[in-house]
Amino acid sequence: MDIFVRDIWVIPLLPLIALVLNLFLIRPLDVAYRDRAASHAGAAHDSHADHSEHSSSEAHYTAEELIESSYVSAIDTVDGHIDTPAAMPHALQTAQQTSGGKQAVALMRQWEQHPEHPHGQPTVYARLAGFVGIAGMFGSFAWAIGALFAMFGNTALQKGITIPLYNWLTFGSISYHVNFYADSLTVVMLVVVTAVSLLVQFYSQEYIESEEPRGYARFFAWLSLFAISMMILTLSANFLMIFIGWELVGVSSYLLIGFLGKDAPKIDGGRPSPSAAALKAFVTNRVGDFGFLIGIMILFAQTGTFTFTEIPQKLQGTDVTLITAAMILVFCGAVGKSAQFPLHVWLPDAMEGPTPVSALIHAATMVAAGVYLVARTFLLFHSFAGPQAAMVVAYTGGFTALFAALIAMVQVDLKRVLAYSTISQLGYMFVGLGVAGTDGPGMFHLMTHAFFKALLFLGSGGVLHALSGQQNMRKMGGLAAKIPLVAFPVLLATLSISGVPFLSGFFSKDEIIAQTLAHGDIALYVITVLTAFLTAFYMFRAWFLTFGGKGGAFGGLWGGKYRGDVHPHAPGMRIWLPLMLLAIPTVFAGYWGFAPLGGNFNAFITGNPAAAPFDNPFVDPMTYVSITLAFLGIGIAWLMYGMEVIPADALTRNPIGKGLHALFFNKFYVDELYMALIRFGIFLFAKIAVSFDKYVIDGIINGIGSGVLGIGRGLRKAETGRLQNYGAAFFGGALIIAAAFIAVVYFGK
Amino acid sequence: MLLTLNSFLILGAVLFCIGLFGALSKRNAVSVLMGIEIMLNAVNITLVAFASSSTGTAHGARLTGQIFAIFIITVAAAEAAVALAMIIAIYRRRNSVDVSEINMMKW
Amino acid sequence: MDLASISFLILAAILVGSALAVVLMNNIVRAALFLAALFGAASGIYVLLNADFIAIVQILVYAGAVTILILFSIMLTQNPNSKNSNPGNHQWVIAALIALGLCAAIVFSFAQNSAIANGAGNAVTAASTNNTVVIGNLLYSPTTYSYVLPFEIASLVLLVAIVGAIVIGRED
């Protein structure tokens, strides 16, 4: 069994093989084959829809070219001379006379008639790319499960082993190693990453098929790339490797958010383009990474090593203030990656990526990397840095949790509600890492959250799929009756995140809340409990607006009035099966931390069999406070949006409520604040810099330039091109030197 | 006594400067070349004079200057051959060997 | 005044006179002939300095080959319309000043340097062994310290010069 841990490099290797195959073999085949297949299909359409005889001497344009170009450019390709929009109608008519134009028109008709496949079908090779990606991921998942079972009961493995790969560089006494490190923390994270990745890839087959079939192979390649990056990040044995993985997940996140490109269709306005969102995510993360890098450098300067296991030994006796500063800087990286305040702004925009991506990267795995980083360096935060470092972690998390929950309460975009919910739950994890004595509670919540949040996102993807991309919850309602196979697991996940007892989210969240009290931090306790109440409220608000509503079964819980205008079509097995599979850990993962049944997550994650298990939540009387608040939140949401006994605008009728609503709805104006800072701060600085550049720098440079030009104009005359002039100058110079020499040596005395 | 080293060195210096004047002041390329030949001969005289006055005891030390002179003669012969070939090539193209008209050595 | 000194004076006078004739003559053919005289006189100086081999080579290479080459090229490039076949250029005054200045500087330096003027220089005409044999050893001997490698390189330079001269000088 040990082999699963000792050869853990197999886990990133398998998706790497899939990536290479997909990117360099299958995708080229896909592209090449697609053109031919599409042109055959187009030709068939052509003959089918032919009404008037026409010579086939014109150039034969592939349908693929016509698909990829817009109406105008398609006709442009055919006709070749359209300059003004005014010429359009005529051009359209003439274009229809040609065979290529007929293809284009036929394809347009086809799009209109089959909205679920508006862009046609993926080719055989594209589907093969999906299978390859899934196969690689399945191997990784199986290996990760093997490693997990190898770790059970093996304390030596739980404490961690280093798997050396190779020595990257050696400078004198300093070596940079590319090493993997596997302990229980790594393995838990790997199981989460591989499990969610596998299910998301399986799910993406159907989702991407309708969304963007031309990018099908590319999408699976990028998913594999992301999985590799995340595994490198998880497996890294030192800061250098984790930073590489850190940046790699950033890149794959960028690629996947911007997958649909800047021309992606928008059902409702006011949303950024995927390209802009991808850029925002990338740049915002750079801000955090800057701090992260400085933190790593401080630690390296103090210890001379990047390796996690060596840093604590070499930090003995170092100035505590310095380590505190370094750890807070490292935490900056986690703030960026895990979308904590004030760097949370990228995550809601990242929802412009395809929904499976949101589920995988922006809910379950990549955003948890920040939490993982803090857990990995937990010892440094708690034993070496001053108490301020852990406090910064806990209060950043607590503030973000409440802050994001308040915003999530009033959002109308389904995916954005989930995005803010993710930010809020990540805040919980940081609270857990900041206040608890071990990294157990935070990682426990990371694990359970990964499952139920991935489920929620994939469920929302199912909704979007059913409604052809509609994300506005006001255009939904009563969908539980129409797509029950999606609704049922989503309901379980909603209950779980709301903190309903006996589901996984309850155990992990309650453990964190209990830890705040055990730590004696009343402020954090109030924040977390309040957030738990808000979470229950906004999650059920989203549930009722999407799946329930007045007139549904059980008082509006199941089904109800549908407010949209698109006919919902039920998703296929490849969409609902992953949801059902995710529902299993959503319900049961929590029992790993439930002491009365023998679950001791804490002992596993710390590698210490003597570590106390999490307290039994049902013994602690304070637990019933949070349970009550959770049910209160669910109840209020039920009354407002399920039964509609209380009107939804009850609280926003008075000016205070209205103002708060506007504040929450506009996300506390953080984006606007940043824009204003950029406008008035950076632009002002830029203007000063511009004028400095224009008058001072340019003045100096131009002065030098014109001076040199002037001298050059004069000196140019000396250059006659005649050899004898040069010779005279040469020997004249020799004479001058000789004369100076004589003057100094013989007459200088 | 006239046959000191100094006499030969001064003779070489005077010849060198006359050759230099010729090389710098003549229009005819062949004449310039003749000036350069005079300069080379002046240098040879200097080298041989130094060799003859050398008091070195190592093997061949007293003949190093002569060996240098031999090499200079060799290179001078090569230089003369190439230079004259160039002069002829230039004459063939421009019908003139006036170096004042050849001003291509700029930019 | 011994015979050697008288010979030196005569040879020096021929050398300087013919050098001046080379650079000052208006007729370039005459200038070239004076150049031949200069080469011959220089060979005499080498004999005075006990450099027999150099003297012979000087006669062979300079007075024989180079002078002929120069005369040939004069013949091939002669402009029959011009009376003054060896004119000076615009900067001849400057050139004369530079040459005079350099000459003065060098002669002054030698005159000031007593070590050169009075010391080692007295051994110049001392009788010596057969230099030619020693030069041969120095140039060709593969065993003792020698100039074999420079000699071979020099032969290569000559070869390149021959080929180059042919390539440059041939009709297109």
Side-chain angles (χ1 to χ4, degrees), chain A residues 378-542:
Chain A
F378 192 78
L379 195 62
L380 297 176
F381 271 100
H382 284 266
S383 304
F384 290 90
Q388 298 91 343
M391 237 170 78
V392 167
V393 173
Y395 275 90
T396 307
F399 178 75
T400 310
L402 183 61
F403 174 82
L406 287 172
I407 297 173
M409 266 197 332
V410 298
Q411 296 299 312
V412 294
D413 185 322
L414 178 58
K415 281 185 77 179
R416 289 193 180 231
V417 172
L418 294 178
Y420 281 106
S421 153
T422 305
I423 297 174
S424 176
Q425 298 299 313
L426 289 165
Y428 265 111
M429 296 173 208
F430 282 115
V431 171
L433 290 172
V435 297
T438 69
D439 50 355
M443 284 306 293
F444 192 40
H445 195 51
L446 187 158
M447 183 186 70
T448 58
H449 172 259
F451 291 125
F452 62 68
K453 186 51 66 68
L455 171 47
L456 283 170
F457 262 107
L458 291 182
S460 81
V463 172
L464 265 55
H465 183 76
L467 301 184
S468 304
Q470 179 60 263
Q471 288 184 214
N472 193 335
M473 291 195 290
R474 287 177 182 146
K475 301 274 180 145
M476 297 176 187
L479 289 175
K482 295 190 165 62
I483 43 174
L485 289 174
V486 171
F488 176 66
V490 168
L491 180 59
L492 283 178
T494 311
L495 288 168
S496 182
I497 192 176
S498 302
V500 170
F502 308 114
L503 295 173
S504 65
F506 163 74
F507 290 109
S508 57
K509 194 193 284 184
D510 200 75
E511 177 60 24
I512 290 171
I513 295 173
Q515 288 288 346
T516 59
L517 262 190
H519 195 247
D521 203 323
I522 300 298
L524 275 179
Y525 173 74
V526 173
I527 287 175
T528 47
V529 167
L530 189 58
T531 308
F533 163 70
L534 292 174
T535 307
F537 172 75
Y538 71 68
M539 281 316 298
F540 267 88
R541 170 179 175 269

Side-chain angles (χ1 to χ4, degrees), chain C residues 11 14-15 18-19 22 31-43 63 67:
Chain C
L11 285 170
I14 295 173
L15 272 170
S18 55
V22 169
L33 291 175
F34 273 109
L35 186 68
L38 182 139
F39 290 153
S43 143
T67 312

Side-chain angles (χ1 to χ4, degrees), chain A residues 527-580:
Chain A
I527 287 175
T528 47
V529 167
L530 189 58
T531 308
F533 163 70
L534 292 174
T535 307
F537 172 75
Y538 71 68
M539 281 316 298
F540 267 88
R541 170 179 175 269
W543 166 265
F544 286 117
L545 284 175
T546 311
F547 292 100
K550 194 171 183 178
F554 313 112
L557 184 65
W558 193 265
K561 188 159 62 69
Y562 175 57
R563 294 180 295 274
D565 37 21
V566 188
H567 176 69
H569 49 272
M573 185 269 283
R574 283 172 301 177
I575 282 192
W576 61 256
L577 186 65
L579 298 181
M580 292 298 184

Side-chain angles (χ1 to χ4, degrees), chain A residues 314-355:
Chain A
K314 298 198 176 169
L315 268 182
Q316 305 287 354
T318 314
D319 184 17
V320 171
T321 322
L322 192 64
I323 305 178
T324 310
M327 291 327 287
I328 290 173
L329 283 167
V330 167
F331 179 62
C332 280
V335 165
K337 198 59 87 192
S338 289
Q340 296 296 288
F341 182 84
L343 298 179
H344 64 282
V345 290
W346 66 271
L347 187 59
D349 282 5
M351 294 303 132
E352 296 310 322
T355 308

Side-chain angles (χ1 to χ4, degrees), chain C residues 7-75:
Chain C
S7 315
F8 173 74
L9 275 180
I10 294 169
L11 285 170
I14 295 173
L15 272 170
V16 174
S18 55
L20 284 170
V22 169
V23 298
L24 295 176
M25 276 279 169
N26 280 335
N27 187 326
I28 193 161
V29 179
R30 288 181 190 169
L33 291 175
F34 273 109
L35 186 68
L38 182 139
F39 290 153
S43 143
I45 292 285
Y46 296 145
V47 172
L48 266 184
L49 287 165
N50 286 318
D52 307 340
F53 182 70
I54 306 279
I56 298 300
V57 169
Q58 170 84 8
I59 296 286
L60 276 176
V61 175
Y62 274 115
V66 174
T67 312
I68 299 299
L69 254 179
I70 286 173
L71 282 171
F72 259 98
S73 57
I74 288 169
M75 186 184 82

Side-chain angles (χ1 to χ4, degrees), chain A residues 628-695:
Chain A
T628 314
L629 280 171
F631 277 112
L632 189 65
I634 296 173
I636 292 173
W638 203 322
L639 292 175
M640 281 171 81
Y641 301 101
M643 302 180 191
E644 298 185 22
V645 179
I646 309 172
D649 56 351
L651 284 172
T652 53
R653 279 194 189 130
N654 53 358
I656 299 169
K658 209 173 201 164
L660 282 175
H661 183 272
L663 187 64
F664 298 160
F665 189 76
N666 289 303
K667 308 145 202 165
F668 286 87
Y669 297 99
V670 173
D671 274 323
E672 283 77 5
L673 184 71
Y674 287 170
M675 277 318 283
L677 272 179
I678 289 165
R679 290 253 160 79
F680 295 110
I682 296 179
F683 283 3
L684 181 71
F685 181 74
K687 267 178 193 154
I688 295 169
V690 161
S691 49
F692 181 80
D693 183 60
K694 211 182 228 165
Y695 298 111

